[in-house]
Amino acid sequence: MNPGHSSPAHSNPAHSNPAHSNEDLLCIEKVLFTEEQIESRIIELAAEIEAHYRGRSLKLIGVLKGSVFFLAALTRRMSIPVRIDFLGISSFSQRSGAPGLVRISKDLDDSIEGEDVVLIEDIVDTGFTLRYLMQTLASRGPNSLAVCTFLDRTSRRIVQVPVDFRCFEIPDRFVVGFGLDYNQLYRNLNYVAVISTSRDTPM
Ligand code: IMP
Ligand code: MG
């Protein structure tokens, strides 16, 4: 989780009572997007991206680990030639409570020079992570660089970053599933759900 983002208020009992299902442990308030809704939106988005890059080949760069599920689902709906690569990042929170510093913990395997690149994110929240990644990738001389995010929470944006393609805009609530985690858990849910956090306001 990004340091600028407050953690869910309740401690996660996942470790104390393994007999409960994930849903019980998570206190899911509601499902925001079902598996079917995600799938049909991804089909639309894949078509949108293909139309934009027709006749070209694409390099999709997934940001580990959250974007893996989205990237896999998206690329399976695309028929133009795509290559994939991954970037791993770590965020460090600062004592001041200011947004965290980001650093690359796993770099790309290959150069992106001269390529049409689409950076694939799980969620864009404050925008700090994306701004750092865009600056880093832009300095490597791609032919073009665009951003595609699964979720976009524009209400929390602090730095302005370009989002070219997005699956869903979401309200100001902490979510898990389809790649998004809480304490590294729940990435594998095939839906996106809202869970409680200390900063949440009633919807
Ligand atoms: P940003 O730098 O504030 O835009 O942070 C984006 C990162 O914070 C994402 O890539 C996620 O790792 C994490 N994040 C933000 N909101 C959520 C959420 O609701 N659930 C899980 N992770 C989140
Ligand atoms: Mg991320």
Side-chain angles (χ1 to χ4, degrees):
M1 205 181 93
N2 201 54
H5 206 127
S6 50
S7 302
H10 313 291
S11 66
N12 190 333
H15 309 293
S16 55
N17 193 346
H20 286 172
S21 72
N22 279 357
E23 283 80 357
D24 290 340
L25 298 170
L26 210 50
C27 299
I28 283 177
E29 287 188 18
K30 71 173 197 175
V31 173
L32 213 49
F33 305 112
T34 64
E35 184 175 10
E36 293 72 26
Q37 287 171 321
I38 293 169
E39 185 59 18
S40 62
R41 180 66 191 118
I42 283 178
I43 290 170
E44 288 176 359
L45 194 63
E48 213 181 296
I49 294 171
E50 280 199 347
H52 194 84
Y53 291 95
R54 201 165 301 290
R56 293 188 269 172
S57 66
L58 260 188
K59 167 76 62 78
L60 300 184
I61 295 179
V63 183
L64 296 171
K65 308 175 184 109
S67 73
V68 167
F69 295 75
F70 175 48
L71 184 146
L74 187 68
T75 51
R76 287 170 60 196
R77 296 293 181 177
M78 292 171 68
S79 51
I80 59 171
V82 296
R83 292 184 180 82
I84 64 171
D85 205 343
F86 293 98
L87 262 181
I89 55 167
S90 313
S91 302
F92 300 92
S93 54
Q94 296 166 347
R95 282 180 184 280
S96 60
L101 303 169
V102 184
R103 82 170 172 88
I104 290 178
S105 58
K106 184 238 169 271
D107 208 335
L108 299 174
D109 288 337
D110 300 309
S111 162
I112 54 168
E113 195 175 343
E115 296 196 83
D116 291 306
V117 174
V118 180
L119 182 64
I120 308 288
E121 262 288 20
D122 52 356
I123 182 167
V124 183
D125 188 36
T126 62
F128 281 106
T129 306
L130 184 57
R131 183 175 66 176
Y132 171 81
L133 292 175
M134 291 297 280
Q135 285 170 348
T136 303
L137 295 178
S139 72
R140 299 182 183 189
N143 182 52
S144 66
L145 179 58
V147 175
C148 174
T149 188
F150 178 51
L151 303 178
D152 196 357
R153 198 192 277 118
T154 51
S155 60
R156 293 234 319 152
R157 199 76 94 245
I158 296 175
V159 294
Q160 292 312 310
V161 281
V163 171
D164 304 275
F165 306 98
R166 104 185 49 157
C167 243
F168 301 109
E169 166 79 38
I170 62 163
D172 188 7
R173 305 296 303 276
F174 192 86
V175 296
V176 294
F178 212 79
L180 290 116
D181 74 303
Y182 169 55
N183 282 350
Q184 297 301 327
L185 287 170
Y186 316 112
R187 293 191 196 276
N188 58 319
L189 298 179
N190 56 16
Y191 52 88
V192 173
V194 170
I195 60 172
S196 299
T197 81
S198 52
R199 69 168 173 76
D200 281 343
T201 48
M203 291 183 78

